[in-house]
């Protein structure tokens, strides 16, 4: 099984064909439009098997799977202490494992923006995450940790490791958090402003099953988005 996460930077209807060469089984895409509210026939056909959520029809997060792959949406709450966190889209794949698509948001929170949103979500659902993949645009890196917070990037990584879930990029390339050699995001598409903020985390089954992992080539993807895709192939 081959899985991709990519922040397309909007207008996926004009960009999804760039993904076809990967022949991925599942694509998790951030900042994409709702396929059910588009007039773009090719995009709608490509997105025939999908789940999508978003604040507006033009920008949300979607899980797009090949025909024949069964997606079952999980009705997990996104409310933590009376406040909604976003964006998180969970589903079960082929009755075999859970997939949690992530696009963390500032959510107008003065304290718990971005990685803080994921920290809150984990407080609700961590016991459910056994055989799981958690992937997407986290908008976070250990380089932005603040010592007076208990929910920074390092804390989220630690909480996931406590239940056996680790970053597959760091597992595969044997690199430490914050010392990534391959960026996934370029601020304002400027090469001199690289960051690693997109991730695929997986439970032990996926750590043991990683066959191949790659980050999309800069020269190809920077012309269509400020993010590069992460592609991971697993032994089935």
């Amino acid at each position: 099984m081959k899985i991709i996460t990519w922040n397309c930077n909007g207008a996926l209807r004009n960009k999804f064909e760039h993904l076809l060469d990967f022949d991925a089984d599942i694509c998790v895409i951030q900042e994409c439009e709702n396929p059910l509210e588009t007039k773009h026939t090719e995009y709608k056909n490509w997105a025939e098997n999908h789940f999508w959520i978003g604040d507006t029809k033009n920008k949300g997060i979607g899980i797009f799977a090949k025909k024949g792959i069964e997606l079952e949406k999980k009705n997990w709450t996104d409310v933590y202490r009376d406040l909604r966190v976003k964006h998180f889209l969970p589903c079960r794949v082929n009755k075999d494992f859970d997939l949690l698509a992530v696009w963390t948001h500032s959510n107008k929170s003065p304290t718990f923006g971005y990685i803080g949103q994921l920290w809150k979500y984990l407080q609700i659902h961590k016991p459910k995450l056994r055989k799981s993949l958690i992937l997407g645009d986290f908008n976070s890196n250990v380089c932005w940790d603040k010592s007076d917070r208990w929910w920074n990037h390092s804390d989220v990584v630690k909480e996931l490791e406590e239940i056996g879930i680790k970053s597959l990029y760091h597992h595969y390339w044997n690199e430490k958090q914050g010392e990534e050699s391959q960026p996934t995001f370029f601020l304002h598409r400027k090469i001199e402003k690289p960051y690693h903020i997109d991730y695929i985390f997986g439970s032990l089954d996926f750590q043991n099953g990683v066959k191949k992992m790659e980050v999309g080539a800069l020269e190809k993807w920077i012309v269509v988005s400020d993010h590069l895709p992460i592609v991971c192939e697993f032994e089935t």
Side-chain angles (χ1 to χ4, degrees), residues 115-221:
I115 197 65
Q117 296 288 291
L118 178 54
W119 182 87
K120 286 185 173 183
Y121 194 84
L122 289 177
Q123 306 318 299
I124 314 169
H125 299 297
K126 196 164 55 171
K128 302 183 182 77
L129 296 168
R130 294 185 178 89
K131 188 177 181 181
S132 304
L133 282 174
I134 305 171
L135 66 167
D137 178 2
F138 287 27
N139 277 304
S140 181
N141 188 283
V142 71
C143 69
W144 295 311
D145 278 1
K146 294 187 178 181
S147 59
D148 60 344
R149 289 178 177 171
W150 67 94
W151 50 264
N152 58 32
H153 186 93
S154 294
D155 293 318
V156 168
V157 170
K158 182 179 179 181
E159 287 208 21
L160 288 172
E161 288 183 344
E162 287 173 353
I163 57 173
I165 295 175
K166 297 182 179 181
S167 166
L168 300 185
Y169 171 92
H170 299 85
H171 171 78
Y172 184 82
W173 296 106
N174 194 27
E175 295 180 0
K176 295 181 179 180
Q177 291 279 342
E179 298 180 9
E180 298 85 4
S181 61
Q182 301 178 71
T184 64
F185 170 70
F186 296 85
L187 185 63
H188 307 309
R189 301 196 190 185
K190 294 184 177 180
I191 308 305
E192 64 272 19
K193 294 185 177 181
Y195 299 95
H196 190 106
I197 63 174
D198 303 88
Y199 303 89
I200 300 177
F201 279 76
S203 56
L204 185 60
D205 304 83
F206 295 101
Q207 295 165 38
N208 292 337
V210 175
K211 179 180 178 181
K212 182 180 178 182
M213 194 166 199
E214 64 179 305
V215 177
L218 173 63
E219 60 274 11
K220 174 180 178 179
W221 294 95

Side-chain angles (χ1 to χ4, degrees), residues 23-40:
D23 191 31
D25 297 285
I26 299 175
C27 296
V28 172
I29 311 295
Q30 303 85 42
E31 295 194 26
C32 61
E33 62 266 62
N34 186 349
L36 299 182
E37 296 193 53
T38 181
K39 296 179 181 179
H40 195 286

